[in-house]
Every structure is written in C-alpha cells, then in structure tokens.
Amino acid sequence: RRLRGGAVSRFSKQRGVAMVLVMWLVAAMSITVGGALALAREEIGLASSRLGEAQAFALAKGIARLAVMDRARAQMAVNENGDLDPAGLSKVFMSRYEIDDFTVSATIYPASGFVSVAESDPAVWRQLLTGVGGMDNVAAATLAEQIVNSELERTASAGSGPPGSFQFYSRYRKARSAVYVEQLLGIEGMNRAVYDRIRSSISPFNVGSGVDPTAAPPEMLAAFGAT
C-alpha cells in the first residue's frame, strides 16, 4: 500500500508538471500567434496606405494632364462669330472632374503668378521670404541680396553642346532651362525649412520680374499685398 501510495503521488506530481508545461506551451504559442497576427495587420495596413498613396498620385497626375489639355482647348475655342472666346483666354483656368467616387477640382496658374527663379529684384525676393517663407525683414533682406548676387544662372550647362547636336538648346530654351530651383539650397543663409515653404511659390522659368496679381494663387496674393 505504501508503494501504491508513493506511485500515485509521483504520478500526480508528473501530471501536474505536464499540465504546467502544456499551459506554458499554449501561452507561448498564443503569444507567438498574436505577434504574427499583429505584424500581419501592420503590414497589411502599410501596404494599403502605400496603395492609397500610389492611387492618389496617379489620379493627381492624370487630372493635371487632363486639365492642361482642357486649358489648351479652351484657349482655342471660338464663339458663334468665329472669334476666340474671351472666357477661354482667362489667365487662371479652373475645372472640375468626377472620376468614380472622386470629385477633383483643378486650377492652373500661369508662371507669371509666381516668383521666377531668375528674379533679379531683391525686393521681390524679400517679399516672398517674409510673406511666404516666414522670415523677419532683416534676415529676408540679407538673403534676398545673396540670391540676386549669386551666380545661379552661370552654374548650369544644360544645352551647351555644339549646334546641331541633341545637347544644343536654342537661346530661348536655354534661358528656360539654365536654372534649377533646388540651387537655392546652396545659397548662404537659405535653410531647408524656408526653402520648403517657398518652393511651391517659385517658377522655374524666366518669365520677367515681379508677380502678376491677376494670375497668382491665394498665398501669393496674401504675400504681395494684392486684394
């Protein structure tokens, strides 16, 4: 009887240890499976976010091209008398598009509504740096002089190949391609924060000095004091 009782006691202990091991394994597997599921959900969410970004980019790019084409057609439209329709000659073109469940409004502003990267008037740069870039007047005036006195236009060599070659640009095309907006980052006094704020308000084309208020977007109107 003593042996039987001892055997039963050892069996009970072994069964208890086995139960603990089983519970520990179940808990470990639950944690592992839970972690795997959480990681899968995170990856699915990231993939969905990237897909949404790609769709938004493709949609915006398509709408932009469609708006440019519609603007060109509007500028060539004629009225009943065969004359160009004045409505199509407006500087700012606005249109609305509906694609599936999306409604997109597109607005095209001409380059004259922005500050040209080849602008030579420091007062225009100072106004942009204070009104859009958020700089104080003293720092903006100093940076504006640095921009105007820099050699941005002489640093690019686009289109400088021999005449007749594919690297050769006409004088008109070379003037439009000689300067890159990103070159402003290399000017002393310019920092990334200010550059990011003014980047979308700068035209890469040499379209003359100043800003045309009748063709400028709202942020440029506010910065240059137009009403």
Side-chain angles (χ1 to χ4, degrees), residues 30-100:
S30 298
I31 294 173
T32 302
V33 172
L37 290 175
L39 182 61
R41 292 193 189 98
E42 184 178 352
E43 290 180 350
I44 292 173
L46 182 60
S48 177
S49 176
R50 289 180 176 175
L51 177 61
E53 291 177 357
Q55 290 175 335
F57 176 79
L59 178 63
K61 190 173 183 179
I63 291 295
R65 291 182 175 180
L66 183 60
V68 170
M69 293 176 60
D70 288 345
R71 178 177 181 269
R73 281 195 290 263
Q75 290 179 329
M76 298 300 295
V78 295
N79 55 25
E80 297 179 353
N81 299 325
D83 300 324
L84 290 176
D85 188 356
L89 300 178
S90 60
K91 296 180 179 180
V92 180
F93 176 80
M94 302 179 67
S95 186
R96 191 179 182 90
Y97 302 93
E98 294 185 1
I99 300 178
D100 293 336

Side-chain angles (χ1 to χ4, degrees), residues 7-188:
V8 172
S9 177
R10 287 196 301 272
F11 177 75
S12 297
K13 291 180 179 180
Q14 292 175 355
R15 185 173 62 179
V17 173
M19 289 292 293
V20 172
L21 289 174
V22 171
M23 293 177 64
W24 184 86
L25 288 173
V26 171
M29 291 180 64
S30 298
I31 294 173
T32 302
V33 172
L37 290 175
L39 182 61
R41 292 193 189 98
E42 184 178 352
E43 290 180 350
I44 292 173
L46 182 60
S48 177
S49 176
R50 289 180 176 175
L51 177 61
E53 291 177 357
Q55 290 175 335
F57 176 79
L59 178 63
K61 190 173 183 179
I63 291 295
R65 291 182 175 180
L66 183 60
V68 170
M69 293 176 60
D70 288 345
R71 178 177 181 269
R73 281 195 290 263
Q75 290 179 329
M76 298 300 295
V78 295
N79 55 25
E80 297 179 353
N81 299 325
D83 300 324
L84 290 176
D85 188 356
L89 300 178
S90 60
K91 296 180 179 180
V92 180
F93 176 80
M94 302 179 67
S95 186
R96 191 179 182 90
Y97 302 93
E98 294 185 1
I99 300 178
D100 293 336
D101 296 330
F102 297 96
T103 300
V104 183
S105 296
T107 305
I108 298 178
Y109 296 97
S112 59
F114 303 87
V115 173
S116 171
V117 70
E119 175 62 60
S120 59
D121 186 353
V124 176
W125 281 110
R126 180 184 57 78
Q127 207 163 351
L128 176 68
L129 293 169
T130 55
V132 180
M135 298 182 68
D136 62 79
N137 287 326
V138 176
T142 302
L143 182 54
E145 291 291 342
Q146 291 279 5
I147 294 173
V148 172
N149 295 328
S150 65
E151 297 183 356
L152 288 180
E153 292 184 279
R154 291 189 286 274
T155 58
S157 59
S160 58
S165 68
F166 70 91
Q167 298 100 336
F168 178 77
Y169 288 178
S170 65
R171 181 179 301 177
Y172 172 74
R173 186 181 177 192
K174 191 180 296 184
R176 293 170 64 94
S177 61
V179 183
Y180 298 95
V181 179
E182 290 78 9
Q183 289 177 288
L184 293 173
L185 285 169
I187 296 177
E188 183 179 355

